[in-house]
Amino acid sequence: MARILATEIRVGNLIEWDKRLWRVLKSYHVHVGGRGGAYMQIEIKDIENGQKRNERLATDEKLERPYIEKRHMVYSYQDGDNYVFMDNETYEQLPLSAEYLEGQTGYLLPNMDVEINFHNGRTIGIELPTSVVLEVVDTEPGVRNATATTTFKPARMETGITVQVPPFVTSGEKVRVKTDDGSYIERA
């Protein structure tokens, strides 16, 4: 097993904590001024029983990363509540439930390359690219010349998720979105 720094933990990663396997659901780097210092706040879910918990880690703390077999697959299509992935080498199809993917379905586009993680021959998670390009389906009309502003407006993407975008973004445009937290990065 490899050890990684707390600051290297990303959403979708698998870690070993208290002799159990956990999937990282949320990961935030928090810096408080003064004497508080910085720390990582993570929300994790037990792979076996689904129990969730929040942990606060020092930024220099190291965690165990279990040996995970990663297989490159392509997201093919949605079949009811299942999302079907195809192995690039064997062409074998692997259905995963929406409940299992937990919040990652809003970033899946047909023919997208993803990594499916296996531990002891069992599927235990999916790792998405760090960002995806999504088309804005519905949002309020854009504001001309509003390039330097700190306000955002909600925009519904082609996958059904809502992302906060700057006021100059209009329907039909493509934007790059972080898969960690669903935040807007830039126009694509």
Side-chain angles (χ1 to χ4, degrees), residues 133-138 156-159 171-175:
V133 176
L134 299 173
E135 184 177 339
V136 177
V137 175
D138 184 37
R156 192 166 49 82
M157 301 292 135
E158 61 187 298
T159 58
S171 295
E173 286 190 71
K174 292 188 181 270
V175 295

Side-chain angles (χ1 to χ4, degrees), residues 99-119:
E99 179 183 298
Y100 183 79
L101 296 174
E102 215 172 299
Q104 295 177 310
T105 57
Y107 305 106
L108 288 174
L109 293 170
N111 301 319
M112 173 187 275
D113 289 323
V114 298
E115 283 187 345
I116 306 286
N117 298 321
F118 292 86
H119 184 260

Side-chain angles (χ1 to χ4, degrees), residues 11-62:
V11 172
N13 284 164
L14 297 163
I15 59 172
E16 190 168 305
W17 184 271
D18 288 341
K19 296 184 169 79
R20 295 194 310 220
L21 206 55
W22 301 81
R23 179 181 302 122
V24 178
L25 301 177
K26 296 178 184 174
S27 176
Y28 303 102
H29 185 266
V30 180
H31 180 74
V32 289
R35 295 181 158 190
Y39 60 90
M40 290 297 294
Q41 181 75 33
I42 61 172
E43 182 179 329
I44 53 180
K45 180 180 180 181
D46 190 332
I47 296 293
E48 295 295 322
N49 62 22
Q51 172 191 1
K52 290 183 185 179
R53 67 195 260 193
N54 288 304
E55 294 293 333
R56 182 181 286 192
L57 309 168
T59 55
D60 59 350
E61 191 170 340
K62 290 191 175 192

Side-chain angles (χ1 to χ4, degrees), residues 21 42 62 74 80-81 91-92 94 120 137 148 164 176 181:
L21 206 55
I42 61 172
K62 290 191 175 192
V74 174
D81 282 344
Y91 302 107
E92 176 185 337
L94 173 71
N120 295 334
V137 175
Q164 294 294 322
R176 186 171 307 280
D181 57 7

